[in-house]
Amino acid sequence: MKIVIFGANGKTGLILTEQALADGHSVIAYIRRAGSINLEHPKLKIVVGNLNETLKMKDAMEGADACFSTLGGGSLRHHAPEVVAGIENILSIMQELKIHRFIYLSSIGAGESRFMMPQPIRFFIVNILLRVLLADHNANEQHITNSNLQWTIVRPGSLTDGPITAEIKHGIEKTKLKGNADISRANVAAFMLKQLTDDSYLQKCVWLFE
C-alpha cells in the first residue's frame, strides 16, 4: 500500500515508518523540520512542510491508500494549535481525495478512557500532568469521529523504547487499569500497521497496553 505518515520523525513515527517499509509499503513521510529524519529507502519519500500548507499536503497525499498521524505538540505545558488545525486539514484533504482510512495515535486518558484510571491517579494524570496534551487529543478525536472516514483511534498507555512483544492487551470495552499500563513504541507501531488489513476497530477508539 501507499501510506502517508504525519509525524514520521517522532519517536513512534520513525518506528512506524521503518516497520511500514519493512512490510513492503510505499511511505510518504510528511515532516515539519528538514533533516529531522535520517532514513533512506527506495520506497520512502520525505516531504518537508507545515500542517497549514494544504497544497503541499494534498500533493503528498495524492494516490495514498491510508494516512497515519503520530503527531504531537512536544510540550506538557503548551497547547499545539498548529497540530489541531493540521489534523482538520488532513481530514479535509482525505475526504477531498477520497482516501478513506485514517489511523490516529492518541493516548489513554483521552475521551472516556480517562475512566480506566483509578482515583487519585486519574486526577493527577488527566487533570494535572497530561492536561494540555489530552485536551489537544480530545479536540483531534472529536474532529476525527465527526468525519465520515474509516478511522481508528489508538490510545496506548505510557510509551517505552522496548521491543515488539508477543502479547499485548487491546480492546474497546470498559476496563480498569491495574498497575503500570506501559507499552513499547514498537508494539504500538505494529498494532497501527495491522489496522490496514484488520477492520475490527473501524470507527472505534481502542486502548492498548502490555
Side-chain angles (χ1 to χ4, degrees):
M1 292 187 184
K2 180 180 178 181
I3 64 175
V4 183
I5 300 176
F6 291 90
N9 56 324
K11 289 184 177 180
T12 305
L14 182 58
I15 294 172
L16 177 63
T17 301
E18 292 171 338
Q19 290 185 5
L21 292 169
D23 285 351
H25 298 291
S26 295
V27 178
I28 309 298
Y30 194 95
I31 61 176
R32 290 174 284 172
R33 297 189 308 278
S36 60
I37 181 170
N38 184 22
L39 187 63
E40 294 184 1
H41 192 281
K43 288 192 172 185
L44 173 66
K45 179 181 179 180
I46 299 173
V47 177
V48 180
N50 293 317
L51 296 172
N52 61 357
E53 295 183 83
T54 54
L55 291 179
K56 183 177 288 187
M57 294 168 69
K58 184 176 179 180
D59 183 63
M61 295 162 68
E62 186 77 48
D65 298 295
C67 294
F68 291 77
S69 171
T70 60
L71 290 165
S75 173
L76 296 179
R77 298 178 58 190
H78 303 289
H79 289 283
E82 73 281 2
V83 173
V84 175
I87 292 296
E88 290 189 81
N89 288 334
I90 292 168
L91 298 173
S92 177
I93 295 169
M94 288 183 68
Q95 292 175 93
E96 180 183 351
L97 297 178
K98 294 180 171 54
I99 304 169
H100 302 294
R101 195 71 175 101
F102 185 51
I103 301 164
Y104 175 80
L105 180 61
S106 184
S107 173
I108 284 180
E112 73 284 353
S113 70
R114 65 187 181 277
F115 296 112
M116 293 173 63
M117 305 176 190
Q119 291 286 30
I121 295 175
R122 181 168 73 236
F123 177 82
F124 176 72
I125 297 294
V126 176
N127 293 51
I128 300 177
L129 182 63
L130 301 183
R131 177 180 59 84
V132 170
L133 175 68
L134 292 175
D136 287 351
H137 277 314
N138 286 335
N140 291 336
E141 288 192 11
Q142 184 172 11
H143 293 139
I144 294 166
T145 56
N146 286 338
S147 76
N148 60 5
L149 300 178
Q150 296 175 356
W151 52 266
T152 298
I153 292 172
V154 179
R155 295 168 171 168
S158 300
L159 299 174
T160 72
D161 294 324
I164 292 178
T165 56
E167 296 292 335
I168 60 173
K169 301 177 179 67
H170 53 87
I172 59 172
E173 64 274 13
K174 293 181 180 179
T175 188
K176 291 291 186 181
L177 296 177
K178 297 179 180 178
N180 293 331
D182 296 342
I183 186 166
S184 70
R185 292 181 175 86
N187 271 332
V188 172
F191 182 85
M192 293 178 72
L193 273 179
K194 185 181 178 182
Q195 305 315 302
L196 288 173
T197 54
D198 187 343
D199 61 2
S200 301
Y201 292 120
L202 285 180
Q203 273 79 42
K204 291 181 171 63
C205 303
V206 52
W207 47 258
L208 190 66
F209 55 90
E210 292 172 0

